[in-house]
Amino acid sequence: MTDALRSGLPPHIATRICGHRTVDTTLGYAAIYPEDVINHHRSFIARRRSLRPGEEYRKPTAQEWQDFLAHFELRKVALGVCARDFGTPCVHEHACIRCPVLRPDPEQMPRLEEIHANLLDRLQEAKEQGWLGEVAAIEASLAAAEQKLAAMRDLAARHTTVHLGMPDLRGFVARIDSEQRNEDAKRQS
């Protein structure tokens, strides 16, 4: 099966030949080798490049390269990193707390908790003063801050370091030696 697929047999044809109900079943039996992945990726890139205008593959000017690098510096914000695409402006007018493309930095959690507490105070004041437009805006920011805090906590929980220590193979080696001695004793008797 693997050889047939590597030779160019379309997977849906191989599925019919093998009598499988789905292509996924057939592909489950196909071995994928690292060189196949690399070769297919290179041919994909070559096909894509042949369809696109050649001027898109020119070497960038020094100024274009500087602009590209500067874009990534501008994406660093107080609460993390903005994940917007290169060359695109900030559509949220730098209201990062509400922006869905902000990737929060777990180390900035105390700062965000402070912002969250401040938003709660501002919300209380806006309600007392009857500033209904401000109440709606603060509630939107508060909901976003809570979502970002949850994301930060989740990220921090997933990136904890666990010290596993050095493996102690002495017991394992002793067991193998013991098993070997038992087998040698059986052979000699």
Side-chain angles (χ1 to χ4, degrees):
M1 177 56 51
T2 300
D3 290 337
L5 291 172
R6 287 183 79 195
S7 298
L9 181 66
H12 67 282
I13 303 294
T15 299
R16 296 292 286 235
I17 292 170
C18 293
H20 297 151
R21 289 188 183 152
T22 65
V23 173
D24 292 337
T25 304
T26 306
L27 293 178
Y29 288 103
I32 299 173
Y33 301 105
E35 72 241 19
D36 292 337
V37 174
I38 293 166
N39 291 336
H40 285 288
H41 178 69
R42 286 181 176 158
S43 65
F44 167 76
I45 296 296
R47 281 193 310 273
R48 272 230 22 185
R49 285 188 174 164
S50 69
L51 298 173
R52 299 182 69 89
E55 60 269 6
E56 290 185 11
Y57 297 102
R58 64 177 172 72
K59 186 172 180 162
T61 64
Q63 183 59 47
E64 289 171 330
W65 187 245
Q66 285 304 106
D67 292 344
F68 179 72
L69 295 177
H71 167 79
F72 292 100
E73 289 299 317
L74 290 173
R75 289 178 15 166
K76 295 176 186 173
V77 294
L79 295 174
V81 176
C82 179
R84 71 180 185 273
D85 293 332
F86 169 69
T88 58
C90 178
V91 295
H92 296 97
E93 299 176 0
H94 302 286
C96 299
I97 194 95
R98 294 186 191 180
C99 185
V101 294
L102 172 69
R103 291 190 318 220
D105 177 6
E107 292 183 18
Q108 297 302 322
M109 194 178 313
R111 174 179 288 229
L112 187 54
E113 288 168 341
E114 184 180 321
I115 291 170
H116 184 265
N118 181 274
L119 285 168
L120 288 172
D121 292 342
R122 288 181 52 211
L123 180 62
Q124 181 63 32
E125 179 187 12
K127 285 181 177 179
E128 289 170 359
Q129 297 297 325
W131 302 329
L132 299 181
E134 191 74 11
V135 168
I138 293 171
E139 285 175 341
S141 293
L142 198 56
E146 289 167 356
Q147 183 257 342
K148 298 274 189 285
L149 274 170
M152 283 180 165
R153 288 184 185 114
D154 182 51
L155 194 61
R158 285 189 284 137
H159 286 98
T160 57
T161 303
V162 177
H163 178 65
L164 299 176
M166 284 296 291
D168 185 9
L169 300 176
R170 289 176 290 196
F172 180 72
V173 171
R175 191 179 79 227
I176 290 174
D177 286 344
S178 171
E179 290 172 1
Q180 186 65 39
R181 274 189 246 123
N182 290 343
E183 285 181 25
D184 290 344
K186 286 180 186 176
R187 279 190 217 132
Q188 289 176 354
S189 17

